[in-house]
Amino acid sequence: DDEEDALVFRQRAFLGLKFRDEEDRDLVRKVGLATTGLLLLSFGLFLMHLHHGGMVVHAIWHLFLALGLPIVGYMGVAQESTRLVWTFHQGNIQFAVFHVLALVLLSSFVSNLTAESAEDACQMLSPLGQPPEDPRTLQLMRLYNHCREEFRERQQHAPWMLFYWVVTTAPLCILQVYSAYLAHEFLFRLRVRKLVARPMDSMGFATVTEVYGPDEVVE
């Protein structure tokens, strides 16, 4: 019997995790594939920000969130923790909302950036009105020209950043919502296993309660 149980566990194992049945294994496998796609898209967005001179700090946070969700999900499955699985479920939904909001903000940023002229953006460095014989005027002129060139370069890259965000938003949101849906289904299966029926009397009535581990709370 022990050998048969061990064989069943090996067949149901996935990424070092063991499952009670094939349905659990298939659910986690589908979530793993969706999460892999999410990581690839997020890493592509990160590289795009670096290449086009985007908001690197924002891109790092985006990548950090994309890496954090699979860790939470893996721990939730390994520990059969309803709290962690619920966190993974909610995290995917909130990540999808965050990505859409970021797209809206980026669209506004690109619109304002392309509408402004380089001369207006670098007006504080303009040497106009300065005495031409002043040595600092030449230095100010260099700074002014450098500012204009840098600003125009940002204007050239900005539409491409917006394009990549628009292209990746749909698949990212689909993968996140799909992962959240599967996580909710897995959470339901976990909770069903934690249900315990306690007989109340000889009439056959019983109370059904949900048993939680020491690290879990009722969501």
Side-chain angles (χ1 to χ4, degrees):
D1 293 339
D2 293 339
E3 293 180 357
E4 291 180 359
D5 292 340
L7 178 60
V8 171
F9 275 119
R10 282 198 297 271
Q11 291 175 344
R12 294 175 183 168
F14 178 71
L15 296 177
L17 299 171
K18 295 179 180 179
F19 306 96
R20 295 178 183 268
D21 53 44
E22 291 296 333
E23 291 186 13
D24 281 359
R25 182 182 183 277
D26 289 341
L27 277 175
V28 175
R29 181 180 60 83
K30 291 176 182 178
V31 173
L33 293 175
T35 303
T36 300
L38 172 64
L39 288 174
L40 292 176
L41 288 172
S42 297
F43 187 69
L45 277 177
F46 175 74
L47 294 179
M48 178 272 298
H49 271 275
L50 294 181
H51 177 69
H52 291 288
M55 296 171 284
V56 179
V57 175
H58 173 80
I60 291 176
W61 271 107
H62 190 278
L63 186 62
F64 175 78
L65 291 174
L67 292 173
L69 280 176
I71 296 174
V72 173
Y74 186 92
M75 293 177 60
V77 175
Q79 300 176 14
E80 292 193 343
S81 169
T82 56
R83 182 180 63 179
L84 291 176
V85 175
W86 177 259
T87 301
F88 176 79
H89 164 74
Q90 288 292 325
N92 275 281
I93 295 176
Q94 294 173 11
F95 195 11
V97 174
F98 161 78
H99 190 81
V100 173
L101 291 177
L103 176 60
V104 173
L105 293 176
L106 181 61
S107 301
S108 176
F109 168 77
V110 171
S111 177
N112 294 333
L113 181 66
T114 54
E116 189 176 10
S117 66
E119 288 72 20
D120 291 339
C122 302
Q123 187 176 7
M124 294 183 62
L125 297 175
S126 176
L128 296 178
Q130 301 295 327
E133 64 276 2
D134 192 336
R136 291 176 297 182
T137 302
L138 181 60
Q139 182 181 3
L140 196 60
M141 175 64 74
R142 292 173 181 172
L143 292 175
Y144 178 66
N145 291 334
H146 177 73
C147 176
R148 289 192 302 172
E149 292 176 2
E150 189 178 62
F151 187 82
R152 287 167 180 163
E153 185 177 357
R154 290 177 60 192
Q155 286 181 317
Q156 293 176 355
H157 285 289
W160 284 107
M161 284 196 301
L162 181 60
F163 170 77
Y164 285 120
W165 269 87
V166 171
V167 169
T168 57
T169 291
L172 269 172
C173 290
I174 291 174
L175 290 174
Q176 289 158 354
V177 172
Y178 181 62
S179 297
Y181 167 77
L182 294 176
H184 190 271
E185 186 174 347
F186 186 77
L187 175 65
F188 177 78
R189 295 172 63 84
L190 283 181
R191 283 185 159 175
V192 169
R193 295 192 192 116
K194 295 177 183 291
L195 295 179
V196 176
R198 294 186 173 90
M200 294 179 59
D201 49 40
S202 58
M203 298 296 294
F205 293 100
T207 58
V208 179
T209 58
E210 188 172 353
V211 179
Y212 293 91
D215 65 330
E216 294 182 302
V217 294
V218 179
E219 293 85 358

